[in-house]
Amino acid sequence: MSFSQNIDDEYEKFIRRMNPPRVVIDNEYCKTATVIQVDSANEHGILLEVVQVLTDLNLMITKAYISSDGGWFMDVFNVTDQDGNKITDEGVMDYIHKSLGPDACFTSSVRRSVGVKQSMDHTSIELIGSDRPGLLSEVSAVLTHLKCNVVNAEVWTHNTRAASVMQVTDEKTGGAITDPERLSMIKKLLCNVLKGSNKSREAKTVVSHGVTHTERRLHQMMFADRDYDRPRDEASGEKQRPDVNVVNWQDRDYSVVTIRCKDRPKLLFDTVCTLTDMQYVVFHGNVDAEGPEAHQEYCIRHVDGSPVKSDAERQRLIQCLEAAIERRVSEGLKLELCTTDRVGLLSDVTRIFRENSLTVTRAEVTTRSGKAINTFYVRDASGCPVDAKIIDSIRQAIGQTILKVKGSPEEANQAPQESPSRFLFGGLFKSRSFCNFGVVKSYS
């Protein structure tokens, strides 16, 4: 660490001691949600860190008010659990206080870095390349052949590109893989799989012992890969996209971003993550996701203090936000697998998908106490509707009680719908009362 970085860290600690963060969790003044208020000294990235803590707990953010003018940051969130209930678990509330309160380290520059914390429990593998049917099956087959067990993984596909962050362990030791020659072989073989026969787009494999925040890293990887660039024929196609608009508010020297799309879990994290990594600062924001649609409004400036400067910058920001929203859209039939974990399980399951002409559009792989808990979103590789008979055949091959279907093939064959209407940004400044968020008392 350089001398200047040491000075910056010490300055951050001083500011934190003088202005310790404050977290208030209230279950009384809103009938339908728990209200969480976070006050802290302001700095770039703090909003993302707060949202990240809440979404990592699988909390649903139904409303949010954001204000960070000057040197102070203040956020108010209405949150529920996944069943729509208030947060009453003392363990969860204590974790929020510890993660965001005076004793937290979320303002540390080290915490905000990605992939800097070392782990000997597993080896992290980052993959990005051109998407194609059977890709996950091929990748997992290579890892099985190399005596690696996939304990955690997340796979996203978007705009012909596929990205994944995987955590693997050595089959024999159950820990991280440390042999440099073996790591080099893993990287080489996986990169060959990712390249396939496509020489026009780059494929990349990174192997390390670093611990990353998987979802933020996936956003960064796909952003760096420019997955937001669309072919001209697709850009003018009929597929309905999220409604994103960016205008400059000249009187106040802000750019105002408005987003309206179908609501889903972690949508707020996805948009805030993208704005942060594109070096924009959110000064004011208003989020409403109580219905089937989510409405988001942000007043932003670039970190250099300027609003959006050109039409080209505006178009790029719109494209990047659209991509951030679409990456996690779960197109396809949802399949959930729960069974005892073993080496080669992911390879066997995805091979069965491939042999039945199904392609994985998104996947979440986790291992808890020796149990594999995996979620796959699959579609027919040829673009045809998913055949219910094929799903029945796959379930018989894997196990009826092991693999469960969420929804129906008919529902999966319907294209996702977004609203074409636009959310007017002017409503953001009509009222800044906490009553809009179910808070009627002062937190002073």
Side-chain angles (χ1 to χ4, degrees), residues 97-340:
H97 276 292
K98 289 181 177 179
S99 298
L100 303 178
D103 298 329
C105 59
F106 70 93
T107 58
S108 167
S109 59
V110 174
R111 170 78 180 266
R112 285 200 305 273
S113 301
V114 177
V116 297
K117 185 179 178 182
Q118 297 297 304
S119 170
M120 294 309 295
D121 295 332
H122 60 259
T123 298
S124 294
I125 302 176
E126 297 178 359
L127 309 167
I128 192 155
S130 294
D131 186 29
R132 66 176 186 272
L135 180 59
L136 180 57
S137 174
E138 295 177 40
V139 167
S140 54
V142 167
L143 290 172
T144 300
H145 175 72
L146 295 171
K147 308 299 182 182
C148 302
N149 186 36
V150 181
V151 293
N152 293 291
E154 188 137 358
V155 181
W156 289 0
T157 63
H158 178 249
N159 195 20
T160 75
R161 302 299 282 171
S164 177
V165 175
M166 294 183 164
Q167 296 174 355
V168 303
T169 58
D170 182 88
E171 179 181 342
K172 292 183 179 179
T173 67
I177 300 165
T178 57
D179 181 9
E181 291 187 6
R182 190 175 173 198
L183 291 173
S184 179
M185 178 62 69
I186 291 171
K187 182 175 179 178
K188 178 182 177 181
L189 293 181
L190 288 177
C191 204
N192 288 339
V193 170
L194 290 169
K195 287 179 180 177
S197 60
N198 189 340
K199 306 299 182 182
S200 61
R201 291 292 298 271
E202 181 184 11
K204 186 181 295 184
T205 304
V206 177
V207 181
S208 72
H209 298 303
V211 175
T212 70
H213 185 275
T214 300
E215 293 164 340
R216 185 175 182 192
R217 188 68 190 124
L218 284 167
H219 276 302
Q220 291 176 330
M221 290 164 61
M222 299 196 91
F223 173 73
D225 190 59
R226 300 179 65 91
D227 73 317
Y228 53 86
D229 283 341
R230 304 183 187 279
R232 290 185 179 181
D233 57 342
E234 183 185 348
S236 59
E238 295 182 358
K239 182 178 178 181
Q240 184 66 53
R241 306 210 178 281
D243 187 18
V244 182
N245 192 34
V246 179
V247 296
N248 280 359
W249 191 9
Q250 301 294 344
D251 293 344
R252 303 212 177 201
D253 209 27
Y254 291 121
S255 292
V256 181
V257 177
T258 61
I259 300 170
R260 184 169 185 163
C261 64
K262 184 178 180 180
D263 188 34
R264 58 164 175 75
K266 301 189 178 182
L267 177 64
L268 179 60
F269 171 82
D270 295 336
T271 55
V272 170
C273 181
T274 298
L275 289 170
T276 302
D277 286 335
M278 292 185 73
Q279 300 297 301
Y280 290 104
V281 179
V282 176
F283 286 86
H284 301 285
N286 191 7
V287 175
D288 185 348
E290 288 191 308
E293 287 186 337
H295 303 191
Q296 298 182 2
E297 295 179 327
Y298 304 107
C299 286
I300 66 168
R301 293 186 189 130
H302 195 267
V303 289
D304 65 8
S306 65
V308 173
K309 299 176 182 178
S310 66
D311 187 61
E313 182 185 355
R314 186 180 73 86
Q315 289 297 330
R316 182 171 182 265
L317 178 55
I318 290 173
Q319 285 182 320
C320 290
L321 287 170
E322 287 177 347
I325 295 167
E326 293 172 348
R327 287 171 195 145
R328 207 195 290 263
V329 171
S330 304
E331 294 185 5
L333 186 66
K334 183 178 181 181
L335 304 178
E336 292 184 351
L337 180 145
C338 183
T339 188
T340 302

